[in-house]
Amino acid sequence: MTSERRVLVHPDGESLAGTVAARVITKLIDVIEQEGDASLQLTGGTMAMTVLDAIRRSPARDSVDWSAVSFWWTDERWVPSDSEERNERQAREALLDHIRIDEEKVHPFPASDQAKDIEAAAEAYAAELAAHTPGNAIAPRFDITFLGVGSDGHVAGLFPNTTGIREKSRRVIAVQNAPKPPPDRLSVTLPVLNSSQRIFIVLGGPDKASVLGLALAGASVEEVPLSGVLGVRRTVLFVDAAAAAEVPENLIAPQSYWTSADSVDAH
């Protein structure tokens, strides 16, 4: 099966979050029915939390057997476990604390008060991934991976023109001196991200228009890490009108562009 990128444009952030929430709920129900369980890889950032909140508020939320869902993270801030900056804490407040989950299936990154140092934390999370990875695969089966995108094009903790975006052999890296605070982070690598069955990328706001255009134009992965993201089955970019406003029409091929009125084959 050949993977492809699709762009879905929505008029505003609210409709964008609602659509992504509905898509995630529907797909999780399908996967659990087919496989018996499902796996969701989460990220941080404003848009990601907005989507998780939309899932929490959805009338269809409890149609999902959340106890059958495993939760992983793409990246984490190297801060104490009780820090409000921690992606895990924000995800719990937005969604996980409001649904019936199996805590044994929740796999957060170690916090700065839970590991000897950041390198040890990276090794520990790589070992956690390996323990749940079948056969010769690089990572567990991720049915859906959420990603936000920075205005510089970074995804997870993979920033432009850094060694992290070029890493191919390790599952997890320690990110130090990141160009945005906090400077120290943990992140899975691009091969782990791209092992995901489906990657849902959520972009909102005019500050993302330029980087979206560059990614669609084929900018190098080192300059725009977003360019290197491609799931096994589907890679869907859910964007609002503001984020899409500066993308020239000639950079969007008809076969890779959908409006919110069109359907998405999410298999």
Side-chain angles (χ1 to χ4, degrees):
M1 178 182 296
T2 301
S3 185
E4 60 187 44
R5 290 187 180 93
R6 293 183 172 184
V7 180
L8 282 158
V9 182
H10 298 75
D12 52 48
E14 183 177 355
S15 61
L16 171 62
T19 296
V20 180
R23 194 74 65 187
V24 170
I25 289 171
T26 300
K27 181 46 59 179
L28 287 177
I29 292 170
D30 289 346
V31 172
I32 292 170
E33 182 178 348
Q34 294 167 9
E35 304 289 344
D37 58 11
S39 182
L40 187 59
Q41 194 175 31
L42 305 176
T43 190
T46 302
M47 283 306 304
M49 293 309 109
T50 300
V51 170
L52 293 186
D53 183 69
I55 294 174
R56 176 181 62 81
R57 292 184 289 106
S58 171
R61 180 192 74 185
D62 294 333
S63 300
V64 178
D65 178 4
W66 294 103
S67 67
V69 179
S70 295
F71 297 91
W72 298 82
W73 274 262
T74 64
D75 60 304
E76 185 56 272
R77 287 98 179 251
W78 183 241
V79 292
S81 53
D82 62 352
S83 172
E84 293 183 356
E85 290 189 317
R86 189 164 162 80
N87 292 339
E88 179 203 1
R89 175 171 175 172
Q90 293 176 11
R92 286 184 179 276
E93 291 176 349
L95 177 62
L96 272 63
D97 287 347
H98 306 276
I99 55 179
R100 294 183 178 181
I101 59 175
D102 180 350
E103 281 291 344
E104 292 187 358
K105 295 180 180 178
V106 180
H107 306 276
F109 279 91
S112 63
D113 55 352
Q114 296 172 331
K116 180 179 66 173
D117 54 42
I118 194 170
E119 292 291 350
E123 292 177 5
Y125 205 65
E128 181 80 357
L129 287 168
H132 292 82
T133 298
N136 296 322
I138 190 173
R141 188 193 83 226
F142 296 133
D143 296 299
I144 300 173
T145 289
F146 272 135
L147 282 177
V149 180
S151 57
D152 60 354
H154 84 266
V155 292
L158 307 177
F159 291 88
N161 302 308
T162 61
T163 57
I165 191 61
R166 297 190 291 270
E167 180 62 51
K168 289 182 171 48
S169 59
R170 289 184 290 172
R171 290 179 169 95
V172 182
I173 57 171
V175 180
Q176 298 177 286
N177 301 312
K180 64 176 293 187
D184 296 335
R185 298 158 178 257
L186 294 157
S187 180
V188 301
T189 56
L190 192 58
V192 172
L193 290 179
N194 287 347
S195 73
S196 305
Q197 295 298 302
R198 303 161 192 85
I199 301 179
F200 290 176
I201 306 169
V202 187
L203 297 87
D207 61 321
K208 307 298 171 62
S210 175
V211 75
L212 175 59
L214 288 170
L216 291 174
S220 74
V221 64
E222 289 205 9
E223 294 180 350
V224 183
L226 171 61
S227 298
V229 175
L230 190 67
V232 175
R233 291 174 177 263
R234 289 284 181 269
T235 306
V236 185
L237 294 101
F238 297 88
V239 306
D240 65 10
E246 297 180 21
V247 179
E249 288 188 17
N250 66 322
L251 295 183
I252 307 176
Q255 66 268 25
S256 63
Y257 181 83
W258 281 256
T259 69
S260 57
D262 294 319
S263 63
V264 175
D265 175 6
H267 291 291

